[in-house]
């Protein structure tokens, strides 16, 4: 993903100081000095692209899940970790926001709902367990945690995540993957709903720049930005629940080892592993990895 922020302030203007004698040197030197200042300013503006945004993927290869056993039961608990250790030998991916601020509109909630910019960085784990979904031999245990202080309850978010992972159009259709939500004991990955500031902190440990806007997948954490969870993107402004499914399917897909792909052709469903937030490129909106006939919806790999 190649999304420069465009607001890295240029530093090229420092070389115009010490010009106190310009006024005494006549109109010609005044004109030359003005040209020099304008040229330096232009270089400073153009130079904003020289500092690459770390919102680009460090790697499309996600960490390999480890085998799972039976999951224990339990009640809600507080998870203060805020994410896996940055020293872990894992990959990191982030969904680029593309033209999120361009044409289109966000969800109607955007004008009426106040979204906290940051939170305490501690999390409450949804209690209980779910049944196992999928017929694959590899059952991945996962937790759902929500940052403390949010209006969203861990139980409600867990219900939505469970529904996405259980859908027959989801990753269980690969015939290999099964999922079971747990609340205690070891887990293979954790779905974290967090404020933009906390997302930036967690993802930033891996060198990623989420800029308070987007989601990321780092190590064993699927990190969901509260802003995107509530507002979706312009394409999905009228179906926020669908965009939530896309978030989960895209980032869990990275965890399963799937990289980015692009649109396979005009009028075809957009793959879940396509960065739809950067534009549809002729594809139609779709949030599921597989279709109703169990066929993988994919496209050409993104280098």
């Amino acid at each position: 993903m190649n999304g420069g922020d465009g607001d890295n302030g240029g530093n090229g203007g420092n070389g115009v100081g010490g010009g106190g004698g310009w006024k005494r040197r006549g109109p010609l030197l005044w004109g030359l000095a003005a040209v020099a200042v304008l040229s330096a300013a232009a270089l400073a503006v153009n130079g904003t692209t020289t500092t690459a945004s770390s919102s680009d993927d460090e790697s499309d290869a996600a960490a390999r899940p480890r085998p799972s056993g039976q999951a224990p039961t339990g009640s809600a608990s507080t998870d203060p970790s805020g994410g896996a250790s940055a020293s872990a030998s894992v990959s990191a991916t982030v969904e680029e926001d593309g033209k999120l601020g361009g044409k289109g509109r966000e969800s109607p909630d955007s004008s009426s709902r106040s979204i906290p910019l940051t939170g305490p960085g501690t999390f409450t784990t949804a209690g209980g367990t779910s049944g196992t979904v999928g017929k694959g031999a590899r059952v991945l245990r996962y937790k759902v945690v929500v940052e403390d202080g949010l209006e969203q309850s861990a139980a409600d978010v867990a219900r939505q995540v469970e529904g996405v992972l259980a859908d027959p159009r989801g990753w269980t259709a690969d015939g290999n993957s099964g999922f079971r939500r747990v609340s205690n004991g070891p887990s293979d990955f954790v779905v974290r709903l967090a404020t933009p500031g906390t997302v930036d902190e967690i993802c930033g440990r891996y060198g990623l720049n989420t800029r308070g806007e987007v989601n990321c997948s780092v190590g064993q954490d699927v990190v969901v930005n509260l802003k995107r969870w509530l507002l979706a993107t312009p394409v999905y402004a009228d179906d926020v629940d669908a965009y939530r499914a896309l978030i989960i399917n895209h980032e869990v897909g990275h965890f399963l080892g799937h990289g980015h792909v692009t649109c396979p052709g005009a009028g075809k469903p957009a793959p879940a592993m396509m960065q739809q937030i950067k534009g549809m490129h002729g594809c139609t909106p779709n949030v599921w990895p597989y279709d109703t006939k169990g066929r993988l919806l994919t496209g050409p790999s993104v280098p």
Side-chain angles (χ1 to χ4, degrees), residues 21 39 43 48 50 56 63 76 102 133 147-148 214 221 234 237 246 249 259:
S39 299
L43 288 172
T48 58
T50 62
D56 294 343
V133 296
E147 189 169 9
D148 294 329
V214 292
D221 283 330
L246 180 58
N249 285 323

mmCIF file of all heavy atoms in Angstrom, residues 21 39 43 48 50 56 63 76 102 133 147-148 214 221 234 237 246 249 259:
data_model
loop_
_atom_site.group_PDB
_atom_site.id
_atom_site.type_symbol
_atom_site.label_atom_id
_atom_site.label_comp_id
_atom_site.label_asym_id
_atom_site.label_seq_id
_atom_site.Cartn_x
_atom_site.Cartn_y
_atom_site.Cartn_z
ATOM 1 N N GLY A 21 20.494 42.068 4.462
ATOM 2 C CA GLY A 21 21.061 43.080 3.581
ATOM 3 C C GLY A 21 20.365 43.191 2.241
ATOM 4 O O GLY A 21 20.818 43.928 1.378
ATOM 5 N N SER A 39 11.168 29.140 -4.933
ATOM 6 C CA SER A 39 11.689 27.829 -5.306
ATOM 7 C C SER A 39 11.848 26.936 -4.099
ATOM 8 O O SER A 39 11.532 25.752 -4.121
ATOM 9 C CB SER A 39 13.051 27.989 -6.012
ATOM 10 O OG SER A 39 12.897 28.751 -7.204
ATOM 11 N N LEU A 43 9.970 23.351 -3.330
ATOM 12 C CA LEU A 43 10.664 22.125 -2.976
ATOM 13 C C LEU A 43 10.159 21.556 -1.675
ATOM 14 O O LEU A 43 10.054 20.348 -1.498
ATOM 15 C CB LEU A 43 12.174 22.391 -2.876
ATOM 16 C CG LEU A 43 12.900 22.620 -4.216
ATOM 17 C CD1 LEU A 43 14.328 23.062 -3.950
ATOM 18 C CD2 LEU A 43 12.872 21.353 -5.057
ATOM 19 N N THR A 48 7.068 16.604 0.473
ATOM 20 C CA THR A 48 6.246 15.849 1.402
ATOM 21 C C THR A 48 6.137 14.397 1.000
ATOM 22 O O THR A 48 5.808 13.558 1.814
ATOM 23 C CB THR A 48 4.833 16.449 1.492
ATOM 24 O OG1 THR A 48 4.245 16.443 0.180
ATOM 25 C CG2 THR A 48 4.869 17.854 2.035
ATOM 26 N N THR A 50 8.583 12.525 0.052
ATOM 27 C CA THR A 50 9.828 11.808 0.246
ATOM 28 C C THR A 50 9.826 11.002 1.532
ATOM 29 O O THR A 50 10.627 10.098 1.681
ATOM 30 C CB THR A 50 11.019 12.780 0.268
ATOM 31 O OG1 THR A 50 10.868 13.681 1.369
ATOM 32 C CG2 THR A 50 11.093 13.576 -1.018
ATOM 33 N N ASP A 56 1.934 1.498 4.785
ATOM 34 C CA ASP A 56 2.135 0.418 3.840
ATOM 35 C C ASP A 56 2.346 -0.885 4.600
ATOM 36 O O ASP A 56 2.878 -0.912 5.699
ATOM 37 C CB ASP A 56 3.367 0.669 2.967
ATOM 38 C CG ASP A 56 3.176 1.860 2.060
ATOM 39 O OD1 ASP A 56 2.014 2.265 1.887
ATOM 40 O OD2 ASP A 56 4.172 2.386 1.535
ATOM 41 N N ALA A 63 1.251 -14.350 10.298
ATOM 42 C CA ALA A 63 1.807 -15.376 11.174
ATOM 43 C C ALA A 63 1.037 -16.676 11.015
ATOM 44 O O ALA A 63 -0.169 -16.679 10.854
ATOM 45 C CB ALA A 63 1.732 -14.907 12.631
ATOM 46 N N ALA A 76 -16.112 -12.666 31.848
ATOM 47 C CA ALA A 76 -15.410 -11.489 31.331
ATOM 48 C C ALA A 76 -14.197 -11.170 32.190
ATOM 49 O O ALA A 76 -14.203 -11.356 33.402
ATOM 50 C CB ALA A 76 -16.355 -10.296 31.312
ATOM 51 N N GLY A 102 -12.283 11.629 0.436
ATOM 52 C CA GLY A 102 -12.660 12.181 -0.852
ATOM 53 C C GLY A 102 -14.157 12.140 -1.060
ATOM 54 O O GLY A 102 -14.950 12.318 -0.153
ATOM 55 N N VAL A 133 -17.221 -23.638 14.811
ATOM 56 C CA VAL A 133 -17.796 -23.527 13.477
ATOM 57 C C VAL A 133 -16.752 -23.954 12.459
ATOM 58 O O VAL A 133 -15.554 -23.745 12.663
ATOM 59 C CB VAL A 133 -18.269 -22.095 13.173
ATOM 60 C CG1 VAL A 133 -19.400 -21.702 14.114
ATOM 61 C CG2 VAL A 133 -17.135 -21.086 13.278
ATOM 62 N N GLU A 147 -11.910 -2.166 24.205
ATOM 63 C CA GLU A 147 -11.220 -1.219 25.078
ATOM 64 C C GLU A 147 -12.165 -0.678 26.137
ATOM 65 O O GLU A 147 -13.336 -0.362 25.856
ATOM 66 C CB GLU A 147 -10.628 -0.072 24.261
ATOM 67 C CG GLU A 147 -9.713 0.832 25.077
ATOM 68 C CD GLU A 147 -8.920 1.795 24.223
ATOM 69 O OE1 GLU A 147 -9.189 1.905 23.005
ATOM 70 O OE2 GLU A 147 -8.006 2.446 24.780
ATOM 71 N N ASP A 148 -11.683 -0.563 27.341
ATOM 72 C CA ASP A 148 -12.494 -0.081 28.452
ATOM 73 C C ASP A 148 -12.946 1.358 28.207
ATOM 74 O O ASP A 148 -12.207 2.181 27.663
ATOM 75 C CB ASP A 148 -11.701 -0.159 29.759
ATOM 76 C CG ASP A 148 -11.394 -1.595 30.161
ATOM 77 O OD1 ASP A 148 -12.208 -2.488 29.852
ATOM 78 O OD2 ASP A 148 -10.335 -1.828 30.771
ATOM 79 N N VAL A 214 -7.487 3.751 10.384
ATOM 80 C CA VAL A 214 -7.695 2.435 9.786
ATOM 81 C C VAL A 214 -7.347 1.309 10.742
ATOM 82 O O VAL A 214 -6.907 1.526 11.870
ATOM 83 C CB VAL A 214 -6.876 2.295 8.479
ATOM 84 C CG1 VAL A 214 -7.424 3.219 7.407
ATOM 85 C CG2 VAL A 214 -5.405 2.622 8.722
ATOM 86 N N ASP A 221 -2.891 -10.210 16.813
ATOM 87 C CA ASP A 221 -3.967 -9.245 17.042
ATOM 88 C C ASP A 221 -4.602 -8.777 15.748
ATOM 89 O O ASP A 221 -3.915 -8.313 14.830
ATOM 90 C CB ASP A 221 -3.433 -8.019 17.796
ATOM 91 C CG ASP A 221 -3.228 -8.290 19.271
ATOM 92 O OD1 ASP A 221 -3.973 -9.122 19.819
ATOM 93 O OD2 ASP A 221 -2.313 -7.690 19.867
ATOM 94 N N PRO A 234 -17.344 5.239 2.613
ATOM 95 C CA PRO A 234 -18.418 5.729 1.750
ATOM 96 C C PRO A 234 -19.167 4.632 0.995
ATOM 97 O O PRO A 234 -20.393 4.691 0.864
ATOM 98 C CB PRO A 234 -17.693 6.684 0.797
ATOM 99 C CG PRO A 234 -16.565 7.222 1.617
ATOM 100 C CD PRO A 234 -16.108 6.062 2.457
ATOM 101 N N ALA A 237 -21.544 2.986 3.506
ATOM 102 C CA ALA A 237 -22.151 3.897 4.475
ATOM 103 C C ALA A 237 -23.573 3.485 4.855
ATOM 104 O O ALA A 237 -24.023 3.751 5.969
ATOM 105 C CB ALA A 237 -22.151 5.324 3.924
ATOM 106 N N LEU A 246 -16.439 -7.161 6.507
ATOM 107 C CA LEU A 246 -15.258 -7.030 5.663
ATOM 108 C C LEU A 246 -14.002 -6.823 6.500
ATOM 109 O O LEU A 246 -12.952 -7.405 6.214
ATOM 110 C CB LEU A 246 -15.439 -5.865 4.689
ATOM 111 C CG LEU A 246 -14.270 -5.602 3.724
ATOM 112 C CD1 LEU A 246 -13.972 -6.839 2.878
ATOM 113 C CD2 LEU A 246 -14.565 -4.400 2.842
ATOM 114 N N ASN A 249 -13.180 -10.291 8.013
ATOM 115 C CA ASN A 249 -12.724 -11.241 7.001
ATOM 116 C C ASN A 249 -11.376 -10.853 6.411
ATOM 117 O O ASN A 249 -10.524 -11.717 6.163
ATOM 118 C CB ASN A 249 -13.773 -11.348 5.885
ATOM 119 C CG ASN A 249 -14.983 -12.150 6.315
ATOM 120 O OD1 ASN A 249 -14.872 -13.134 7.034
ATOM 121 N ND2 ASN A 249 -16.154 -11.729 5.873
ATOM 122 N N GLY A 259 -2.616 -12.813 1.253
ATOM 123 C CA GLY A 259 -2.135 -11.481 0.936
ATOM 124 C C GLY A 259 -3.172 -10.689 0.158
ATOM 125 O O GLY A 259 -4.284 -11.170 -0.120
#
